[in-house]
Amino acid sequence: MEQHLIPHSATLLDALEALNRLSGAAMTLFVINDTNHVQGTLTDGDVRRALLRGCTLADSVSAAAHTDFKALRRGRPDVELIRSCRLKGITLLPVLDDAGTLCDIIDLRTTHTLLPLSAIVMAGGKGERLRPLTLDTPKPLLQIGGKAIIDYNIEALAACGITDITVTTRYLAHMIADHFARPVAGVQVRCVEETAPLGTIGAATLVEHAPGGATLVMNSDLLTTISFEEMYMRHVATGAAVTIAVVPYQVSVPFAILSIDDADHVTGLQEKPSYSYYANAGIYIFDNAVLDTLPAGEHTDAPDLVEQAIAAGLTVTYYPINGTWIDIGSPTDFRQATELMRQVNAMHRR
């Protein structure tokens, strides 16, 4: 952070030298006063425009600083503001306390947003359909494109500013715990082990949930480009207690289907129809109040908890994934995911 700070007493020449040292990084400086309050931002463009107005290199940086800058308030992440700044090409966003003192600087190239969510990644399954690959390796640690499957998801969560991440384990739990003994994407991931099978959501009872908050729950064996930001924004905009990520699923019938009325008369035939549905993608946002209704130590699947929320009159909505989604549950899925990442990595090397 220090390399992006410049005192308000510095000159424009000092600013140019500081910007030159930032070559390869985000080319933005924050002008601060003696009490570490941000007075403005400064880029090489700001310096150039100040010189064209008649300023000299000996003038103070305050003469060129952009004072109408965007900032976040500590402890109050504004997802809409972050998204707007990112879309405008702003790369650095200061975080200020209520007094205006600089607390942090967010690099939007690596941290795309700051979602006020915790995350639980379910990684307790045996992956039996992938045997023999999973005989001595838990499915989340299988390598695709030189990286463990679960790490793709941890990195995606971290890029959204989600750092409170818990992985629930059971099968070969010690291997997953060893894997996360070191931070992944700068996040120290916690592991909790199921002592008995708790289903696809029951293990959430092993994790404390902040009152009034929300938690993203997902399977660990997914390869997806889902936008957690857009999913969260839909969750908030709809006032939902539960949001389910979904993928399109089409069923094609290879025969003519009869339409029949109440008198058992045939009223028509539809030749080889196709039906479109939304399928559960294994990613959810739950209000923590919903997760708190889970019975501790009991086997519960996520669809059961969703059905209970619907029966209780809570708002349940969905978010369609626009992009890649592969549930790596079979050898065919594993080969497809491996080939996809091979192509992606080849493109990046060009």
Side-chain angles (χ1 to χ4, degrees):
M1 184 171 75
E2 293 298 325
Q3 71 269 25
H4 290 284
L5 305 183
I6 191 166
H8 67 105
S9 58
T11 67
L12 292 179
L13 178 59
D14 295 329
L16 288 175
E17 292 173 342
L19 288 166
N20 188 59
R21 290 193 294 271
L22 288 175
S23 180
M27 302 285 283
T28 302
L29 297 173
F30 293 93
V31 179
I32 58 172
N33 64 15
D34 297 335
T35 56
N36 211 35
H37 285 63
V38 179
Q39 295 188 327
T41 61
L42 194 68
T43 66
D44 56 355
D46 294 322
V47 176
R48 183 173 62 255
R49 285 184 287 271
L51 294 175
L52 289 172
R53 290 197 307 268
C55 293
T56 71
L57 291 176
D59 285 335
S60 166
V61 291
S62 298
H66 180 67
T67 57
D68 185 23
F69 59 92
K70 303 297 184 183
L72 295 172
R73 291 295 173 179
R74 184 175 62 181
R76 301 197 294 274
D78 186 333
V79 177
E80 288 279 6
L81 173 63
I82 296 171
R83 180 181 176 85
S84 173
C85 289
R86 193 179 69 245
L87 293 176
K88 291 177 181 177
I90 296 173
T91 54
L92 297 182
L93 201 53
V95 180
L96 312 178
D97 64 15
D98 289 337
T101 305
L102 182 67
C103 304
D104 198 4
I105 298 174
I106 305 300
D107 188 338
L108 297 183
R109 298 171 304 172
T110 54
T111 302
H112 301 153
T113 187
L114 293 173
L115 300 183
L117 295 170
S118 300
I120 300 175
V121 182
M122 300 295 183
K126 293 182 178 181
E128 292 177 332
R129 288 186 295 158
L130 279 170
R131 290 181 175 176
L133 294 176
T134 53
L135 286 174
D136 55 8
T137 302
K139 181 166 61 171
L141 297 188
L142 292 177
Q143 297 272 316
I144 290 181
K147 186 186 302 182
I149 296 170
I150 194 172
D151 284 356
Y152 287 101
N153 296 313
I154 299 300
E155 290 173 358
L157 293 169
C160 290
I162 302 174
T163 57
D164 180 12
I165 303 175
T166 302
V167 173
T168 64
T169 64
R170 179 165 169 76
Y171 177 65
L172 297 177
H174 66 283
M175 295 184 67
I176 298 177
D178 289 345
H179 178 78
F180 287 115
R182 296 170 297 281
V184 173
V187 176
Q188 189 63 64
V189 176
R190 291 186 302 273
C191 292
V192 294
E193 184 176 354
E194 302 176 44
T195 56
L198 295 177
T200 58
I201 194 68
T205 60
L206 304 176
V207 183
E208 291 187 8
H209 313 298
T215 299
L216 188 147
V217 182
M218 67 181 299
N219 298 337
S220 63
D221 55 357
L222 303 176
L223 192 66
T224 178
T225 57
I226 184 174
S227 172
F228 293 127
E229 179 184 58
E230 291 182 2
M231 183 178 179
Y232 169 77
M233 292 174 68
R234 179 171 175 83
H235 181 79
V236 173
T238 58
V242 182
T243 299
I244 309 167
V246 297
V247 291
Y249 187 80
Q250 191 169 55
V251 177
S252 297
V253 180
F255 310 105
I257 298 300
L258 277 64
S259 298
I260 302 172
D261 64 16
D262 293 339
D264 285 341
H265 297 150
V266 176
T267 59
L269 288 89
Q270 187 175 5
E271 187 69 30
K272 299 180 180 179
S274 292
Y275 302 95
S276 296
Y277 301 94
Y278 279 129
N280 184 353
I283 305 172
Y284 312 84
I285 295 177
F286 288 100
D287 281 357
N288 288 344
V290 176
L291 292 179
D292 286 340
T293 66
L294 284 167
E298 292 188 18
H299 185 288
T300 309
D301 288 328
D304 298 327
L305 183 59
V306 173
E307 291 283 357
Q308 291 169 23
I310 295 170
L314 300 177
T315 299
V316 176
T317 190
Y318 66 94
Y319 169 73
I321 295 176
N322 181 20
T324 299
W325 179 86
I326 303 175
D327 179 5
I328 307 173
S330 69
T332 300
D333 299 326
F334 186 80
R335 287 191 295 270
Q336 179 186 359
T338 299
E339 176 59 21
L340 174 63
M341 292 313 302
R342 186 193 67 77
Q343 294 176 11
V344 169
N345 291 336
M347 290 178 61
H348 288 168
R349 287 194 294 268
R350 290 177 183 174

